[in-house]
Amino acid sequence: MAAHIRTGNFGVLLTRCRVPGLGCSGTVPARRLSSVPPPGTWSSQLSRLPHRDLYRLSVSDPDRFWGSAAADRLRWMQPFQRVRDCELLSGRIGWFLGGRLNVSVNCLDVHVEKHPDRVALIWERDEPGTELKVTYSELLETTCRLANVLKSHGIHKGDRVAIYMPVSPMAVAAMLACARIGAVHTVVFAGFSAEALAGRIQDAGCKAVITCNQGVRGGRTIELKATVDAAVQNCATVQHVFVSQRTDRPTVMGPMDVPLEEVMSSQLPVCPPESLDSEDLLFLLYTSGSTGKPKGLVHTQAGYLLYASMTHQYVFDCRDGDVFGCVADVGWITGHSYVVYGPLCNGVTTVLFESTPVYPNPGRYWETVQRLRINQFYGAPTALRLLLKYDDSWVKKYDRSSLRTLGSVGEPINHEAWRWFHSVVGDGRCPLVDTWWQTETGGVCIAPRPAPDGAAILPAMAMRPFFGIQPVLMGEQYGGWEVGFPQPPQEVEALLGFLCYGAGVEGPSEGLHQVDTKDKVLWTISTVEPSMSVPFAFVVLKEDLRDAPSAVLQQLRDLVSTKIAKYAVPEHFLVVKRLPKTRSGKIMRRILRKVAMETSGDLGDVSTLDDPSVVMEILEAHEAYRKQRKEAQKKKQ
């Protein structure tokens, strides 16, 4: 495993900048505030500003902007004395210095005081029509009992706890229980192999694992406890395995195993929250491994929570009393920020979706929207493209009038899926926000909203930076990897470069951004670099184009030649039925790279793929392609 990567939460950010020796496009000296903004400053003053003025304030006076937001939106046990101390070249990142708080208090206690009976979670279980509603007071009690269980078994502040559970209220309570006592949680997607789970446990040094006897997804049961048993055999740091019961099947318990519900019932329903420094660790989250070894990303307390809360409210237009439907798994950053922490910090009702988009039929999402009266629906393009294959009647037969905002996350959304999502699912009346961000950033960085009143949303474009975000493009066309941003902003989509974030950089940051250059090229044309001198493209054709692949491939060559450069036209085009994608919808590029370089003898762990059989399909297609090229070369000779 790679070393843990410490990331900033906002304001001064840098992600995937591959320029050697350059840490950021600029650095910002932290200013000491003469006085911390008093509570109410944000809601009474700043939030009434027009979007353009609010954005400009966020980049010109970030201390006032973020300081006011933090003082007003979060409950502090001890007020912070300094808004930020960030200098990326030396790796120094600090937000709200001197402040102390507890994330679980901000997600639970503050709302229980005001509306204890408001529904916090709606668990949309795999079995249709069997949803379970959990109020804020009930979730607080469950969290406190679980936190007391952890403490009684020697788990304290700073200890690492792995959570290997399906999407469920108990999984959310486990995350919040860790936050309450200051333990650091690392949620592992409950579909990863024992080897993948063990690697993450070992790297984090987890003292305990929280899991379920089984998982249920798409009508199938998943043996989670058996996977954990296999994993912890190689994890010397694990002292306890807490086992929750998702199904009625009895569980074989070993010496380290603790029956979770049983021991929780004897614990007090109250647990005093730990006072934590704003920069104490909140969680570790490992990337899916789609580009190699998983990286352990670190997010801390105050900055992460504030950013998750603000992006959730402003990007999705989330209001008091809304039902927010993000169908991501809690094992991914989307689940952390927009299933758990963002919605709960804002006091709304959040949906936990345990099933799949096609179980028991392709109308599952939309039947759920109708039944739960969901106001915002946030999903992945992969799922949308899957549903595109079915008749629109699976959507239109259900009442979707409750929807107010649609959202896309995880990868670039193509125009066809965007238009179907907008016109069919949203009836052309719901703003569709195509969000661009990363595990490293913790929250949405570029999206069509928030925006000035009446501002247009263009299909398949992320468009606008969030408050405090200043996108810059770094590329050779600026002369030796210098920072630049071309005029007009629309030209960005035709340029190659690395999207970075900086502060104090002059440029049209408020322009429209189609994040469709270097990173997105890798999603559509998997380029092998640098050991091969030519690009290699893997192409998936639509069903109605499979009869004329030659014509389509020629169109692709022409498109790359005109939009990028002639030298960028791939020499090899391999038509495949599917691409190897993880369960979160990301393409596992390392597999494509090995296939293209003909080093596929050791593909590594493929258990994180949604369907590992796709690898054999690609290998067979590549072998057929090689034979075809050899035959063509013989004929030329």
Side-chain angles (χ1 to χ4, degrees), residues 268-482:
L268 292 174
V270 176
C271 177
E274 185 80 18
S275 176
L276 299 166
D277 186 85
S278 63
E279 281 296 314
D280 280 338
L281 269 62
L282 175 61
F283 64 83
L284 276 168
L285 184 60
Y286 289 88
T287 58
S288 62
S290 57
T291 57
K293 284 188 176 182
K295 300 182 291 292
L297 278 302
V298 171
H299 282 290
T300 55
Q301 306 280 330
Y304 166 79
L305 185 64
L306 179 63
Y307 197 69
S309 167
M310 289 189 65
T311 50
H312 172 256
Q313 176 187 338
Y314 281 91
V315 172
F316 302 102
D317 184 30
C318 203
R319 307 168 190 173
D320 192 53
D322 276 353
V323 177
F324 187 79
C326 175
V327 292
D329 193 281
V330 292
W332 313 120
I333 188 62
T334 304
H336 281 57
S337 299
Y338 301 116
V339 173
V340 181
Y341 289 114
L344 293 181
C345 185
N346 290 336
V348 303
T349 300
T350 182
V351 175
L352 309 177
F353 188 78
E354 185 184 35
S355 192
T356 74
V358 293
Y359 179 77
N361 58 57
R364 179 62 187 273
Y365 276 166
W366 324 124
E367 188 276 332
T368 302
V369 167
Q370 172 183 280
R371 178 162 35 84
L372 303 185
R373 304 300 296 165
I374 291 174
N375 302 113
Q376 295 87 8
F377 183 88
Y378 195 29
T382 300
L384 299 177
R385 286 192 292 268
L386 171 64
L387 296 174
L388 259 171
K389 299 178 180 179
Y390 300 94
D391 190 84
D392 289 350
S393 62
W394 284 110
V395 180
K396 296 180 178 180
K397 66 190 296 186
Y398 299 108
D399 178 11
R400 291 153 286 112
S401 60
S402 62
L403 288 174
R404 199 169 65 245
T405 303
L406 302 176
S408 172
V409 63
E411 62 174 306
I413 184 171
N414 58 303
H415 280 260
E416 182 184 12
W418 192 99
R419 294 187 186 282
W420 178 82
F421 197 21
H422 181 259
S423 62
V424 177
V425 175
D427 287 326
R429 60 177 180 79
C430 299
L432 201 173
V433 290
D434 175 16
T435 61
W436 185 90
W437 55 297
Q438 296 171 320
T439 305
E440 291 88 339
T441 69
V444 173
C445 292
I446 303 178
R449 293 288 189 269
D453 293 340
I457 294 180
L458 303 181
M461 287 188 69
M463 300 188 72
R464 301 176 180 94
F466 191 71
F467 301 128
I469 300 294
Q470 293 181 280
V472 292
L473 200 66
M474 305 184 72
E476 292 176 296
Q477 58 265 52
Y478 298 114
W481 296 107
E482 294 181 359

Side-chain angles (χ1 to χ4, degrees), residues 188-239:
V188 182
F189 175 65
F192 280 178
S193 67
E195 180 184 2
L197 174 60
R200 288 160 170 79
I201 292 174
Q202 292 165 355
D203 188 72
C206 294
K207 198 172 180 179
V209 180
I210 306 176
T211 189
C212 289
N213 63 328
Q214 293 179 311
V216 183
R217 193 168 186 266
R220 297 177 298 155
T221 56
I222 305 164
E223 300 298 331
L224 301 183
K225 176 59 164 53
T227 301
V228 172
D229 288 343
V232 298
Q233 289 181 6
N234 301 311
C235 302
T237 59
V238 175
Q239 299 176 8

Side-chain angles (χ1 to χ4, degrees), residues 12 15 41 51 62 76 147 168 196 215-216 221 233 246 274 317 360 372 421 430 473 534-535 552 562 604 612:
V12 186
T15 64
T41 303
H51 174 269
W76 296 85
S168 62
V216 183
T221 56
Q233 289 181 6
R246 170 59 181 90
E274 185 80 18
D317 184 30
L372 303 185
F421 197 21
C430 299
L473 200 66
V534 294
V552 176
T562 56

Side-chain angles (χ1 to χ4, degrees), residues 582-617:
T582 64
R583 292 175 178 87
S584 62
K586 294 182 180 179
I587 297 172
M588 192 172 283
R589 301 186 190 95
R590 63 177 173 83
I591 290 179
L592 298 179
R593 184 177 296 111
K594 286 178 177 290
V595 172
M597 297 177 67
E598 300 183 10
T599 58
S600 56
D602 180 19
L603 292 175
D605 183 14
V606 297
S607 64
T608 59
L609 290 176
D610 185 52
D611 183 359
S613 67
V614 70
V615 176
M616 187 55 64
E617 290 180 7

Side-chain angles (χ1 to χ4, degrees), residues 478-490:
Y478 298 114
W481 296 107
E482 294 181 359
V483 172
F485 222 97
Q487 290 275 10
Q490 289 89 333

